[in-house]
Amino acid sequence: MYPDLKGYKFTERLTESKSTLVCRGHRLENGEHVVLKILKPDSFSKDKRALLRCEFEITSGFELPGVVKALAFEDYTEGCAIVFKDIDGQSLDHILEHAPLALADSLDLAIVLVETVELLHKQQIIHKDINPSHIIFNPMTKQVNLIGFGLADRAPEQSVTLLPPSSLTGTLAYISPEQTGRMNRLVDYRTDFYSLGVTLYQMLTGKLPFETDNALELVHSHIAMTPVAPHELNADIPEIVSLIVMKLMSKMADDRYQSAFGLKVDLGKCLQGLKGKGDVEGFKLGQVDFSDQLRFPGKIYGREEEFGQLLNAFERVSNGKRELLLVAGYAGVGKTRLVRKVYKTVIERHGFFIEGKFEQLLRNIPYFGWTQAFEELVDNILIDSETEFAQWRHRIQKAVGHIGKVLTDVIPNLESIIGPQPAIPDLAGTEEQKRFNHVFL
């Protein structure tokens, strides 16, 4: 069933997600062919309408080759929709369902996409959700349009909060390591290069670099695992093309291409060699790859000894010991950045990274740092598998017995795991402190 959107006739359902429906149709008043992205009535909220409106503002505010043109924003009784110009193409994910693209077609398409991304970055826009379902391709006209600007951001860079995989923005199979929020790195325009790399990998091989339905495993793979190189999966893919893809998918943004122009030149060399000699010879990558932005590398210098102490402590704990390690220092000396550097190591070992900070201006709140850290642990447990969740619940309930309220008073979201706790008797100050220490430990 199509929504009751007056003034339009729907002809084809293209794709569907939990909250949106994308259809092809035409305007009744003039017969103009359009594509409509519709917010489903059962998913409608003010926040989701605001996101759709933001996508409309971005895609209607300029005309760039290769970027879908938004024509109108329509509110209707049960929701809202964006009306786009239709180039009469197919989404790339539908095309790839049948077979990977030929090498020349992949390079042609990749160059057009890179040109589009280059124009977006010049407008200070990061797409943040490049994947085959957001690439519309018309095989007859060779026209390509990039769609799906729901997460696009005009900010040049931004930090990402550490969130459970179910809450991450973007399409999980294609997001960059820093976009997972677990790399202690700002997200900038180079996140789009990683997503382009994953897309190009799929175009060439017909497979994703990391194939798993488990969200936590997928996040771990993006951060810590190196995929099989495309030329090792398909001997017909030249090694230099494979190296370009692997460079795009580097874990650290500083190791990827730094400009769309540099990437476009290298892809162009490959296509020229393929069409000229029928073969692609090797060359040094990134010879004209220079960023036009002043950017400092996200590395830490002069803290090797301290970082080594953190890693050594983590190794000992991984082998069964229990330790408490405190990091102290004046405000602004880099304590948080140093501690977060162990993100990757912890995730690689399938551990939980939780953090709490004893803020100078919040000293009047008892146990503030502990509360902050363990609320984060609870959030991680809540999105774990049912088996793991049940094990955690059993272990915690067994440990706290009938006095779990000692903890839920300090970590309220713990009730989501062990349920509401019975009342406990009031004790004098010293006794209450001893009880808290006992239960917490």
Side-chain angles (χ1 to χ4, degrees):
M1 289 290 292
Y2 294 111
D4 183 23
L5 189 57
K6 290 182 170 52
Y8 297 90
K9 179 170 180 164
F10 299 102
T11 57
E12 183 183 0
R13 185 185 295 252
L14 295 177
T15 186
E16 188 172 355
S17 69
K18 288 182 180 179
S19 59
T20 60
L21 175 66
V22 180
C23 300
R24 182 168 274 137
H26 60 262
R27 280 177 162 166
L28 294 177
E29 63 177 6
N30 57 14
E32 182 180 18
H33 290 268
V34 295
V35 170
L36 298 100
K37 182 176 182 178
I38 303 157
L39 186 59
K40 292 179 180 177
D42 57 354
S43 299
F44 184 84
S45 69
K46 288 183 178 179
D47 288 343
K48 288 183 178 178
R49 183 191 182 279
L51 283 174
L52 207 66
R53 182 74 196 185
C54 182
E55 180 176 357
F56 169 73
E57 296 293 342
I58 288 176
T59 50
S60 65
F62 51 73
E63 290 199 30
L64 295 177
V67 176
V68 64
K69 176 64 177 174
L71 303 174
F73 187 88
E74 302 280 6
D75 282 301
Y76 66 103
T77 308
E78 297 177 308
C80 58
I82 308 178
V83 183
F84 295 105
K85 185 177 180 180
D86 187 9
I87 66 166
D88 197 27
Q90 287 183 293
S91 64
L92 183 59
D93 62 333
H94 287 171
I95 296 173
L96 293 176
E97 282 178 1
H98 303 291
L101 295 181
L103 177 59
D105 292 336
S106 293
L107 292 174
D108 265 326
L109 182 52
I111 290 171
V112 174
L113 280 173
V114 172
E115 288 173 344
T116 300
V117 170
E118 183 179 22
L119 293 173
L120 285 173
H121 290 174
K122 285 181 178 178
Q123 297 285 332
Q124 296 293 304
I125 292 174
I126 312 170
H127 189 282
K128 294 203 297 187
D129 200 13
I130 294 174
N131 67 75
S133 69
H134 289 156
I135 298 165
I136 304 298
F137 178 56
N138 186 324
M140 300 298 292
T141 64
K142 302 297 182 184
Q143 189 176 356
V144 179
N145 260 1
L146 188 59
I147 64 172
F149 283 79
L151 302 177
D153 204 319
R154 291 184 182 275
E157 61 180 30
Q158 62 175 172
S159 61
V160 173
T161 306
L162 183 61
L163 295 170
S166 59
S167 301
L168 290 175
T169 57
T171 307
L172 202 53
Y174 300 86
I175 63 173
S176 66
E178 63 270 21
Q179 207 169 321
T180 68
R182 287 158 166 77
M183 287 288 285
N184 194 23
R185 291 287 185 273
L186 293 173
V187 174
D188 60 31
Y189 67 97
R190 294 171 295 184
T191 192
D192 286 343
F193 293 154
Y194 186 92
S195 301
L196 272 172
V198 178
T199 300
L200 187 52
Y201 189 105
Q202 189 176 5
M203 287 161 58
L204 291 167
T205 66
K207 300 176 64 175
L208 285 166
F210 308 114
E211 295 189 317
T212 173
D213 295 328
N214 186 294
L216 282 172
E217 282 185 18
L218 197 48
V219 169
H220 171 259
S221 298
H222 282 307
I223 293 171
M225 304 294 290
T226 301
V228 179
H231 74 282
E232 294 179 16
L233 289 174
N234 183 351
D236 293 332
I237 300 171
E239 186 174 357
I240 190 65
V241 175
S242 187
L243 288 172
I244 290 174
V245 175
M246 298 300 282
K247 182 176 176 67
L248 284 168
M249 291 194 299
S250 295
K251 305 300 182 188
M252 306 302 293
D254 294 338
D255 297 328
R256 294 175 209 147
Y257 280 91
Q258 303 301 298
S259 69
F261 178 77
L263 171 58
K264 181 173 64 175
V265 168
D266 284 358
L267 289 171
K269 286 180 183 178
C270 295
L271 186 61
Q272 187 178 6
L274 188 65
K275 290 183 174 179
K277 300 177 182 178
D279 189 23
V280 183
E281 298 178 353
F283 56 87
K284 184 179 179 181
L285 298 181
Q287 293 181 70
V288 293
D289 180 35
F290 304 104
S291 175
D292 59 358
Q293 300 182 32
L294 177 62
R295 190 170 303 281
F296 297 99
K299 297 179 181 178
I300 299 175
Y301 297 92
R303 287 283 183 258
E304 290 79 10
E305 183 180 345
E306 291 87 347
F307 182 58
Q309 290 176 331
L310 286 174
L311 284 184
N312 289 337
F314 177 70
E315 285 298 327
R316 292 192 296 271
V317 169
S318 297
N319 291 324
K321 292 193 174 184
R322 301 178 186 182
E323 294 192 24
L324 174 65
L325 189 146
L326 300 178
V327 180
Y330 292 109
V333 298
K335 300 185 297 298
T336 301
R337 182 171 283 268
L338 173 65
V339 170
R340 286 183 176 178
K341 197 179 176 186
V342 299
Y343 267 180
K344 186 175 179 227
T345 307
V346 174
I347 296 298
E348 282 177 354
R349 304 283 279 273
H350 298 280
F352 288 118
F353 182 97
I354 62 174
E355 63 178 8
K357 190 173 183 180
F358 292 90
E359 298 282 1
Q360 184 178 359
L361 300 178
L362 296 173
R363 288 181 175 179
N364 61 318
I365 303 176
Y367 310 110
F368 178 77
W370 293 104
T371 302
Q372 201 178 37
F374 282 94
E375 282 184 342
E376 197 171 304
L377 177 61
V378 171
D379 289 341
N380 276 282
I381 294 171
L382 288 173
I383 55 92
D384 226 330
S385 68
E386 289 186 15
T387 303
E388 292 286 333
F389 176 81
Q391 290 175 353
W392 275 103
R393 181 173 55 196
H394 175 71
R395 289 168 63 192
I396 297 172
Q397 286 176 336
K398 183 179 178 181
V400 301
H402 298 294
I403 51 176
K405 198 169 190 310
V406 173
L407 292 187
T408 57
D409 282 347
V410 180
I411 309 166
N413 66 343
L414 184 60
E415 280 196 359
S416 303
I417 298 177
I418 61 175
Q421 296 297 296
I424 51 176
D426 292 329
L427 297 176
T430 305
E431 293 301 315
E432 186 173 1
Q433 182 70 54
K434 287 181 178 177
R435 180 174 64 184
F436 175 80
N437 292 347
H438 170 73
V439 179
F440 194 92
L441 288 172

